[in-house]
Amino acid sequence: MNTIQDKEGVKRYMLSLTVNGDPHTVVVKANTTLSQVLRNELALTGTKQGCELGDCGSCTVLMDGKPVNSCMVLALEAEGREVTTIEGVAEGAKLSDLQESFVNHGAVQCGYCSPGMVLSAKALLARNPHPSELEVREAISGNLCRCTGYVHIVEAILAVSEGRTTPPEEANAGGEA
Amino acid sequence: MSINTKIIGRSVPRIDGRDKVTGAAKYTGDIKFPNMLFGKILTSPHAHARIISIDTSAAEALPGVKAVITHKDVPDIKYGISPARWDENIFCIDKVRFVGDKVAAVACTDEETCYKALKLIKVEYEVLPAVLDFRKAMDAGMPQVHDEYPKNINVEIHQEFGDIEKAFKEAHLVRTDAFLGNRAYQSPIEPHSATSLWDGDKLTVYSSTQSPHYFQYYIAREFGMDMGNVRVVKPYVGGGFGGKMEPTGLEFAGAVLAKLTGRPVRMFFDRHEMFAHNRGRHAQYMEITTGVTKDGKILGAHSNFMMDGGAYTSLGIATAYYAGALLPLTYEFDHYKFDLFRLYTNLPACGAQRGHGAPQPKYAFESHLDNVATELGIDPMDIRILNARRPETVTPNDFAIHSCELTQCLTRARIISNWDAKKKEGGMPKGHGIGVSTGSFVSGAGYPIYRTDLPHSAVVIKVNEDGTSATLYTGAPDIGQGSDTVLCQMAAEAMGFHYEKMKIIAADTETCPMDLGAYASRLTLMTGAACKSAGEEIKKSLLEMASSMLHLPPDDLECEDAIIYSKSRDGKALTFQEVARKHFVLKGPLIGKGSYNPPKLGGKFKGSPVGTSPAYSFGVQVGEVKIDEETGEIEAVGFWDVHDCGTVVNPRLLHGQVHGALSMGMGESVWEEVLFDDEGRIKNPDLANYRILTALDMPPVESEIVESYEDIAPWGVKEIGEGSTNPTMGCFSNAIYDAMGVRVYSLPLSYEKVWRALKEKREREHGGKE
């Protein structure tokens, strides 16, 4: 990896990675995190920062298809890797089934956890297309949501595993089926 | 009463859903300006200390540091959100009052330099003894947190309605129980941030706020500016729950740093700083006494409370009044006494968290009521049905209740939770227990936070020139609860238009009419009422226009589903689009305006405005838990929530509020507590050790609503967002008691406390040691 040194003697590394299919080369320090590269260098602010300690999961992205907390991954670890952020989930203007299902099921409230939640769910369905409810809950247990109590999020993910993106009933004012 | 609506009552998808699932939604911290600097605040490492000196020279000399400010560089006018006690300074002047109190700030070319610069600011302190236990704060010889407030009393309340002595004298049973609450923190997933920039004399602040209006008011006041020169913009907000109600050092310090440097400045909290800034739930010590008849009818009640306020007032005066004022909502009794002290301590300031002052007192009262029921041998469900408030009644503290379907909620919860079968001997597996609790909350506060005669909500709707869309302009901030969506539903309903064709511009003090903000569960009723007026004005203009086009009287015309038709003659119809376009051509822009002011509410005694509201929601939760006798572990097996929240605008969003409130309430019931060491430092300022619910912790929940209509509200609506938090802690407490026969008298009802209570019970039963 090419390096240069600044005036104070701090080394900078030339990092090459693929994000949402696009090749990028950026200059980073050894302590730069992947989330910082995505948000600050590549302006992909869909990757959220909630705690920067790996607790909340808002910064979840996929690295070679596997969900990671991008605040806990050093940028240099992404050298030569394929990174998928929330901006890379839709196919052009068409939402993916998971995104569509999240919207239709009311799985989104404040939306701050939603990018990470969608990516964790995407990784789950890629490795296990028909998960049980418990497997869904386990897969998103590293993504904290303070708004929804997870009920509609779990419904939205299970719906996609059953080939749906809308709730079975379109609820009227009344009981929630 | 059922109403005929086209859009209200439909679970339309959120208007912001697409933006939020694609990453397109910009939150404050995502917005970047050319030439932008980054700012951080230096905070106190001591709970209580005198500031001897501050030396910023080394920080100023660091390359990349553009400005360093202390109290000398900012106005010294005290501020707060509650005008009753303005007691905060932008930066501490003589003393710091908690670990995290604000001392200085820096603006630098990047984040990393900010942290380096903060370390170079030298502050010399004289450490003072601190007040860390609110229950001892009034004791003789305790240090003074603020010299102006003797005995550390921030506010004291003594109210009596009716004759409590008489009620207790006539009672068959008078019982007192005491409970201790926990310090909880809102923990929104988005950290607070604010970006300030100046254009000449005009300041613009992008902020993660629940109330652009109060931020605008307080920023203008602090800097002696006209409100018209302060623009506050709320981008998407990642949750608030009460913690983003008041301006922080981020707005004030950012504005000063931006002015000094002539560059935009982004200020932000990290997770630890969020916990230190706090404004979360007050811990309360709650003593409750009630007098009841032999049948369990409540004759009177006395609430005697103490609150840990922390170092500053925040919204705490309102919290204090709410704590006692909302207790008489769910049960009818004539005699009520309420005493409270809110105390200053050298800990982070507490404020308003979902449900405001009500959830902890509700936990205490509902636990106490079960103790009373046990003593009298009455089923907990029966004692609640016996005492349940009825519609068109008045509480002893003068709150007028109109719609109230609490009895229906209780009856329904009894059925869907299978209460009667489960309460029978052997009705549940060993270790299981079931508990019930009620709640109620305001649908918007009857009075604003600072005294003003401005309307509480105002909106404008502008129909696009060619009639193909309409834009709602509202100051109401959507912080995740979904107000942008339901307000567009209500606007479209009133206009006879389509929800899918609505756009919204919201929560920007310059482009939108004012709105007090997202608090007190107020937007659906109050801003909804403004939307209804504005939409009806548009419809009226359209029908007048159509009248001249169709040569029919306007009152023969109706607009529904964007079609204007004659009520008496078949075949005479025009589209919304063509009539709106014609209006623009002949009469100019098609605009509707609406504003809302609540009616005059409440009694005449001191503190009477707090708790007033045009309408109150009512709700019941039943919870079934399973306790592991060996470990004290609590598993929530199932929850049932039945609510009277008037007409439902969007069922899916509504149930989402119930689920979210339950998850927050469950966290506070079992796990959540901000802990301090003996020097006032937070021991668990992160989301690994301050444990909020994960997807694996959330129990199955059935959320139902009962038929209800509120005459005083637009389309009969009431609140849902905050009230649903109120029953949860009492529900857990009562379910644990039912399962194990032990009562835990302090929150959180942790595994350890349950285990200890079980151990003590066994020791009692076996006459000493196990």
Side-chain angles (χ1 to χ4, degrees):
Chain A
M1 198 179 294
N2 284 334
T3 62
I4 43 170
Q5 253 180 15
D6 67 16
K7 275 190 292 185
E8 283 94 46
V10 179
K11 241 191 214 171
R12 314 275 165 148
Y13 302 79
M14 201 188 273
L15 162 73
S16 295
L17 73 171
T18 305
V19 181
N20 304 330
D22 300 336
H24 289 282
T25 299
V26 291
V27 175
V28 300
K29 292 199 280 190
N31 65 353
T32 306
T33 63
L34 178 57
S35 63
Q36 288 168 338
V37 167
L38 296 171
R39 288 179 54 83
N40 304 339
E41 305 297 323
L42 306 180
L44 295 169
T45 54
T47 300
K48 300 301 174 203
Q49 286 184 331
C51 68
E52 297 180 78
L53 293 166
D55 295 330
C56 76
S58 316
C59 65
T60 303
V61 299
L62 306 184
M63 202 152 80
D64 293 339
K66 262 187 64 189
V68 293
N69 286 325
S70 63
C71 74
M72 291 285 100
V73 174
L74 290 172
L76 291 174
E77 295 177 69
E79 170 70 27
R81 307 279 209 117
E82 299 256 357
V83 174
T84 305
T85 71
I86 191 66
E87 289 89 348
V89 175
E91 295 127 38
K94 193 187 169 299
L95 297 183
S96 73
D97 286 351
L98 263 173
Q99 290 170 312
E100 192 75 46
S101 186
F102 266 60
V103 174
N104 292 338
H105 282 85
V108 176
Q109 285 190 28
C110 85
Y112 207 76
C113 74
S114 305
M117 206 62 92
V118 168
L119 286 161
S120 288
K122 182 178 159 73
L124 167 71
L125 295 183
R127 66 175 187 268
N128 179 3
H130 301 289
S132 67
E133 182 181 330
L134 183 63
E135 286 168 331
V136 169
R137 288 182 180 275
E138 276 168 353
I140 59 168
S141 61
N143 295 85
L144 296 179
C145 170
R146 191 59 155 167
C147 297
T148 66
Y150 307 97
V151 179
H152 289 159
I153 295 174
V154 173
E155 279 178 19
I157 299 168
L158 285 172
V160 173
S161 78
E162 292 158 12
R164 289 183 291 113
T165 58
T166 50
E169 95 299 347
E170 234 350 309
N172 295 314
E176 183 184 38
Chain B
M1 175 180 166
S2 72
I3 51 164
N4 183 22
T5 55
K6 295 277 177 183
I7 303 163
I8 285 171
R10 268 176 53 204
S11 291
V12 300
R14 289 179 71 105
I15 201 161
D16 54 3
R18 187 186 177 90
D19 258 17
K20 286 177 172 176
V21 296
T22 56
K26 295 278 186 212
Y27 297 72
T28 304
D30 300 334
I31 298 170
K32 213 169 175 176
F33 291 95
N35 213 22
M36 187 173 81
L37 297 171
F38 297 82
K40 287 297 290 181
I41 294 173
L42 178 73
T43 59
S44 159
H46 304 296
H48 196 193
R50 207 169 297 290
I51 299 173
I52 307 295
S53 66
I54 306 175
D55 178 1
T56 59
S57 56
E60 281 162 31
L62 183 73
V65 176
K66 296 294 166 183
V68 184
I69 54 172
T70 68
H71 69 87
K72 293 193 186 108
D73 307 291
V74 300
D76 62 358
I77 304 169
K78 290 209 164 150
Y79 74 93
I81 182 77
S82 187
R85 300 277 184 288
W86 280 322
D87 57 7
E88 289 189 66
N89 280 109
I90 297 177
F91 295 121
C92 298
I93 297 173
D94 49 354
K95 278 209 310 189
V96 290
R97 292 182 173 85
F98 70 98
V99 178
D101 215 351
K102 298 165 184 80
V103 176
V106 297
C108 309
T109 48
D110 58 62
E111 280 186 47
E112 205 176 322
T113 309
C114 289
Y115 290 105
K116 286 181 185 160
L118 292 182
K119 283 191 181 154
L120 293 174
I121 300 173
K122 291 187 195 76
V123 187
E124 197 187 330
Y125 293 103
E126 177 200 340
V127 178
L128 302 169
V131 185
L132 299 178
D133 180 352
F134 71 102
R135 294 169 68 187
K136 296 182 183 147
M138 281 192 286
D139 292 358
M142 285 308 280
Q144 278 282 121
V145 180
H146 293 265
D147 293 339
E148 304 89 318
Y149 301 102
K151 293 171 78 181
N152 295 313
I153 298 170
N154 171 249
V155 64
E156 62 181 290
I157 302 169
H158 306 288
Q159 297 178 337
E160 187 170 345
F161 310 96
D163 185 346
I164 195 72
E165 291 286 318
K166 186 170 159 272
F168 287 169
K169 218 171 279 168
E170 287 169 5
H172 165 77
L173 169 71
V174 178
R175 183 186 165 102
T176 302
D177 286 302
F179 303 85
L180 184 63
N182 47 342
R183 266 181 173 255
Y185 176 57
Q186 289 97 351
S187 298
I189 309 296
E190 180 213 16
H192 307 52
S193 67
T195 300
S196 303
L197 51 156
W198 291 83
D199 178 6
D201 290 338
K202 185 184 140 186
L203 169 66
T204 301
V205 183
Y206 293 80
S207 176
S208 46
T209 170
Q210 294 181 230
S211 174
H213 175 76
Y214 288 132
F215 276 45
Q216 180 193 28
Y217 174 79
Y218 278 107
I219 291 168
R221 181 184 166 274
E222 195 68 9
F223 296 120
M225 296 169 68
D226 290 336
M227 276 174 77
N229 266 342
V230 178
R231 178 184 185 186
V232 177
V233 186
K234 177 213 70 92
Y236 283 112
V237 168
F241 314 107
K244 294 174 178 171
M245 263 304 288
E246 52 200 291
T248 66
L250 301 179
E251 288 79 18
F252 295 130
V256 174
L257 289 166
K259 184 91 182 174
L260 283 175
T261 58
R263 296 167 69 167
V265 176
R266 178 199 290 169
M267 308 280 299
F268 54 98
F269 283 156
D270 63 22
R271 186 58 58 176
H272 189 152
E273 289 163 340
M274 291 170 74
F275 275 94
H277 174 70
N278 189 37
R279 323 285 149 155
R281 180 100 58 221
H282 291 67
Q284 300 186 45
Y285 173 75
M286 299 157 289
E287 216 176 76
I288 297 204
T289 308
T290 56
V292 294
T293 66
K294 210 157 79 182
D295 304 328
K297 185 88 194 73
I298 303 168
L299 298 177
H302 178 201
S303 311
N304 190 17
F305 297 167
M306 285 169 96
M307 280 184 138
D308 179 358
Y312 298 105
T313 297
S314 179
L315 267 166
I317 306 266
T319 321
Y321 278 99
Y322 268 124
L326 298 189
L327 266 187
L329 282 176
T330 55
Y331 305 118
E332 287 183 20
F333 48 85
D334 296 331
H335 309 282
Y336 183 51
K337 188 166 189 284
F338 169 37
D339 294 296
L340 180 145
F341 289 92
R342 182 182 189 268
L343 298 153
Y344 282 118
T345 57
N346 291 113
L347 294 173
C350 300
Q353 182 169 341
R354 197 174 202 165
H356 211 162
Q360 288 189 7
K362 210 50 187 141
Y363 148 73
F365 198 92
E366 293 288 326
S367 303
H368 167 77
L369 189 58
D370 264 30
N371 286 353
V372 169
T374 305
E375 224 176 305
L376 295 174
I378 303 176
D379 180 277
M381 194 65 89
D382 289 336
I383 200 169
R384 286 171 174 80
I385 290 172
L386 176 71
N387 288 290
R389 180 162 298 286
R390 291 158 298 173
E392 302 303 333
T393 49
V394 179
T395 68
N397 49 345
D398 289 346
F399 300 154
I401 311 297
H402 303 294
S403 63
C404 172
E405 297 299 335
L406 183 59
T407 305
Q408 214 194 128
C409 291
L410 283 160
T411 316
R412 187 68 196 148
R414 175 175 224 149
I415 294 167
I416 64 171
S417 66
N418 208 5
W419 176 273
D420 291 329
K422 285 177 181 168
K423 287 297 273 185
K424 282 199 189 109
E425 190 70 40
M428 283 179 290
K430 192 173 175 294
H432 283 234
I434 191 164
V436 58
S437 178
T438 63
S440 173
F441 204 65
V442 299
S443 304
Y447 294 84
I449 289 176
Y450 71 94
R451 200 166 286 202
T452 175
D453 59 359
L454 293 170
H456 290 212
S457 292
V459 309
V460 168
I461 302 170
K462 187 194 76 152
V463 178
N464 185 28
E465 292 71 23
D466 69 356
T468 53
S469 70
T471 307
L472 173 65
Y473 295 83
T474 166
D478 193 328
I479 58 172
Q481 81 282 38
S483 59
D484 281 0
T485 302
V486 300
L487 295 175
C488 280
Q489 285 182 264
M490 292 165 104
E493 183 76 48
M495 293 159 68
F497 198 44
H498 292 134
Y499 164 76
E500 292 74 14
K501 292 182 175 175
M502 292 300 299
K503 319 282 178 206
I504 184 162
I505 298 200
D508 174 342
T509 59
E510 194 156 289
T511 56
C512 306
M514 76 157 278
D515 191 284
L516 291 178
Y519 69 96
S521 236
R522 54 180 296 285
L523 296 179
T524 307
L525 190 154
M526 295 191 171
T527 316
C531 288
K532 186 165 189 278
S533 307
E536 285 169 352
E537 190 179 321
I538 293 217
K539 192 196 252 190
K540 186 163 174 281
S541 304
L542 277 175
L543 296 186
E544 278 165 12
M545 191 72 241
S547 154
S548 65
M549 291 164 79
L550 290 169
H551 308 291
L552 289 170
D555 54 9
D556 180 44
L557 299 175
E558 181 53 277
C559 180
E560 274 179 3
D561 283 333
I563 300 290
I564 295 164
Y565 62 91
S566 161
K567 288 187 265 189
S568 63
R569 295 166 205 219
D570 285 347
K572 286 277 195 181
L574 294 166
T575 64
F576 182 102
Q577 189 180 333
E578 62 189 310
V579 179
R581 190 180 183 286
K582 194 77 168 175
H583 186 284
F584 189 74
V585 171
L586 297 179
K587 296 185 177 174
L590 176 51
I591 287 177
K593 305 186 297 295
S595 56
Y596 177 80
N597 251 322
K600 178 136 185 51
L601 297 163
K604 291 208 172 2
F605 53 92
K606 187 172 185 230
S608 62
V610 183
T612 58
S613 179
Y616 297 84
S617 70
F618 292 88
V620 172
Q621 279 176 5
V622 172
E624 184 178 343
V625 301
K626 178 182 160 193
I627 310 292
D628 185 325
E629 214 168 330
E630 294 297 313
T631 62
E633 194 170 341
I634 303 159
E635 187 194 328
V637 178
F639 260 81
W640 296 267
D641 184 296
V642 184
H643 250 83
D644 157 15
C645 45
T647 300
V648 177
V649 182
N650 186 316
R652 192 154 272 275
L653 262 58
L654 176 127
H655 293 300
Q657 286 298 303
V658 172
H659 302 153
L662 175 64
S663 80
M664 186 174 275
M666 180 172 168
E668 289 185 62
S669 300
V670 185
W671 296 296
E672 295 183 30
E673 184 171 32
V674 182
L675 300 165
F676 297 89
D677 69 12
D678 55 10
E679 291 180 56
R681 290 178 298 226
I682 304 173
K683 290 204 279 190
N684 54 346
D686 57 71
L687 293 169
N689 296 295
Y690 182 90
R691 176 108 150 62
I692 69 173
L693 257 73
T694 72
L696 287 167
D697 304 312
M698 184 69 188
V701 48
E702 250 179 74
S703 168
E704 258 198 27
I705 55 144
V706 296
E707 180 110 359
S708 165
Y709 187 90
E710 176 59 55
D711 281 327
I712 206 164
W715 296 286
V717 302
K718 297 199 281 186
E719 78 90 33
I720 189 68
E722 292 198 58
S724 330
T725 314
N726 285 341
T728 312
M729 301 172 210
C731 203
F732 266 94
S733 172
N734 291 339
I736 292 167
Y737 181 79
D738 187 53
M740 291 288 133
V742 296
R743 173 77 62 191
V744 178
Y745 286 91
S746 71
L747 292 168
L749 313 163
S750 64
Y751 302 169
E752 183 186 337
K753 286 181 197 164
V754 172
W755 177 81
R756 282 187 194 287
L758 285 169
K759 185 164 169 278
E760 280 161 24
K761 184 185 168 219
R762 277 196 297 270
E763 285 169 4
R764 272 197 312 274
E765 283 167 0
H766 298 296
K769 288 284 149 207
E770 279 180 77

